[in-house]
Amino acid sequence: MNSQESPRVPLWNIANILTVSRLVMVPLLVWFMFMDGLGWQLAAFAVFVIAAVTDRVDGELARRYGLVTDFGKIADPIADKALTGAALVVLSLQGELWWWVTIAILVREWGITLLRLAVIRYGVMPASKGGKLKTVLQIVAISIYLFPLHVLPFTELLTWAAHVVMGAAVTVTVWTGLVYVLDAIRLTREKQTDG
């Protein structure tokens, strides 16, 4: 074994288990969102927030304890997109969110995921700082939409705030998507030139 090589990281480590658990929470979230009543709304909100927290925790654990794997680099963004995508689609089905917002985000998210898979033979494209900001904005906006705002004062103000945050999320989502495309083109050209 080359002394420069890092030790083999087990596939089923705590970071990857948390990533897979986030995928498992997606159908639960959808089920709760389709149920009527304040309790179900709060349950959907709670599941979404817990799943979003696991995204932060699994990444932190992977970096801190050297548990980064190629599986995690690919599965983590897929789990994120499944979670946010499911929430966005249901919110649009329920008339809470414009369809063009959901479509714009989903096309970018799954398009970039497919792009990452297409260029994986040239190298793995990790999440950028802009991509992380995009994820935070999406999570905050969706969380506000999921919370039963009608039980709080200033409902209209909070709804407006949700729209503003979602607008910022869409802007950053599209912008980072373009950056990923340019990065993928550069990576492919560099590897083809080296080869």
Side-chain angles (χ1 to χ4, degrees):
M1 178 176 176
N2 191 320
S3 60
Q4 298 293 325
E5 291 179 3
S6 58
R8 181 174 171 82
V9 178
L11 179 63
W12 287 111
N13 59 61
I14 185 63
N16 287 346
I17 290 171
L18 286 173
T19 297
V20 172
S21 74
R22 192 159 63 258
L23 278 168
V24 173
M25 286 189 238
V26 172
L28 191 63
L29 169 68
V30 171
W31 180 41
F32 288 169
M33 287 180 71
F34 277 115
M35 302 299 286
D36 290 326
L38 178 60
W40 292 110
Q41 289 178 309
L42 290 171
F45 171 79
V47 168
F48 183 80
V49 170
I50 290 168
V53 168
T54 69
D55 177 37
R56 174 72 179 179
V57 173
D58 65 15
E60 186 67 29
L61 289 173
R63 288 184 294 273
R64 181 176 298 179
Y65 297 107
L67 301 175
V68 176
T69 62
D70 284 346
F71 170 81
K73 289 178 183 178
I74 298 299
D76 184 69
I78 289 175
D80 295 342
K81 289 160 184 53
L83 179 70
T84 56
L88 290 168
V89 167
V90 177
L91 285 170
S92 291
L93 285 171
Q94 295 174 336
E96 299 292 329
L97 183 65
W98 302 287
W99 271 108
W100 69 265
V101 170
T102 295
I103 292 169
I105 291 176
L106 291 183
V107 167
R108 182 275 188 200
E109 298 290 18
W110 290 106
I112 295 304
T113 298
L114 292 174
L115 178 64
R116 278 176 158 170
L117 293 173
V119 302
I120 198 167
R121 61 182 169 154
Y122 300 112
V124 175
M125 294 173 58
S128 65
K129 290 182 179 178
K132 292 174 183 176
L133 172 61
K134 171 268 304 179
T135 300
V136 169
L137 288 170
Q138 287 181 7
I139 287 170
V140 171
I142 293 170
S143 296
I144 299 172
Y145 279 104
L146 287 176
F147 192 85
L149 297 177
H150 63 274
V151 302
L152 300 175
F154 311 112
T155 299
E156 290 184 12
L157 180 62
L158 292 171
T159 302
W160 181 83
H163 294 331
V164 169
V165 177
M166 185 59 80
V170 171
T171 301
V172 176
T173 297
V174 173
W175 173 70
T176 55
L178 293 174
V179 171
Y180 273 123
V181 169
L182 294 175
D183 286 346
I185 292 171
R186 189 183 71 251
L187 175 66
T188 303
R189 285 180 177 169
E190 286 175 356
K191 295 297 183 179
Q192 287 176 340
T193 302
D194 292 343

